[in-house]
């Protein structure tokens, strides 16, 4: 992958797409420094300590930290409603994703990352109960 990002190919989108590809392939990862601070791409150095970052596998499942059921979403998510926006702890990182099955969902539940598609074809991170 090139480090030469341009306005037509900005780092956040490109790297997020690459990260979604990895999650979709079951090879999800996060970035960790020597101090154990965890981040999602795109990052070059640890924002907390300035240390170098290396890729570590994402745990297969995470624990729900909080979630919100959305009945009236923004227009781009209208076809998804109702759904839950889930924030889950995966080792050193927190992921935010969508749960389409959220009945009886509770804080602490185990969820697994996957990649889904919205009605308009845009991909989204799913965090469904594991
Ligand atoms: Zn750090």
């Amino acid at each position: 992958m090139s480090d030469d990002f341009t306005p037509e190919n900005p780092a956040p989108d490109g790297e997020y797409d690459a990260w979604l590809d990895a999650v979709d392939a079951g090879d999800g990862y996060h970035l960790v420094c020597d101090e154990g601070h965890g981040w999602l791409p795109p990052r070059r150095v640890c924002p907390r300590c300035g240390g170098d970052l290396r890729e570590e596998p994402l745990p297969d499942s995470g624990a729900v930290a909080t979630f919100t059921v959305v009945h009236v979403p923004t227009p781009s998510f209208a076809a998804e409603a109702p759904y839950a926006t889930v924030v889950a702890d995966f080792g050193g990182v927190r992921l935010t994703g969508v749960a389409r099955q959220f009945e009886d969902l509770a804080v602490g539940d185990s969820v697994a990352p996957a990649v889904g598609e919205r009605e308009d074809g845009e991909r989204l991170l799913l965090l469904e109960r594991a």
Side-chain angles (χ1 to χ4, degrees), residues 33 35 37 39 46 48-49:
C33 71
E35 303 290 323
H37 306 135
W39 306 94
C46 177
R48 274 182 70 186
C49 69

Side-chain angles (χ1 to χ4, degrees), residues 109-121:
D109 278 359
S110 184
V111 291
V115 177
E117 206 169 272
R118 296 195 320 226
E119 198 173 63
D120 62 8

Side-chain angles (χ1 to χ4, degrees), residues 92-105:
V93 288
R94 285 199 150 178
L95 301 185
T96 302
V98 165
R100 290 166 168 163
Q101 266 109 58
F102 54 84
E103 210 170 307
D104 302 326
L105 188 67

Side-chain angles (χ1 to χ4, degrees), residues 26-92:
D27 292 324
Y29 60 89
H30 64 295
L31 305 173
V32 185
C33 71
D34 286 341
E35 303 290 323
H37 306 135
W39 306 94
L40 292 175
R43 300 275 183 191
R44 293 286 174 266
V45 296
C46 177
R48 274 182 70 186
C49 69
D52 287 334
L53 295 168
R54 63 183 182 278
E55 291 186 7
E56 296 266 329
L58 201 63
D60 291 337
S61 65
V64 174
T66 184
F67 66 96
T68 306
V69 175
V70 179
H71 292 279
V72 184
T74 59
S76 56
F77 277 83
E80 292 285 330
Y83 61 90
T85 298
V86 176
V87 178
D89 290 317
F90 283 76

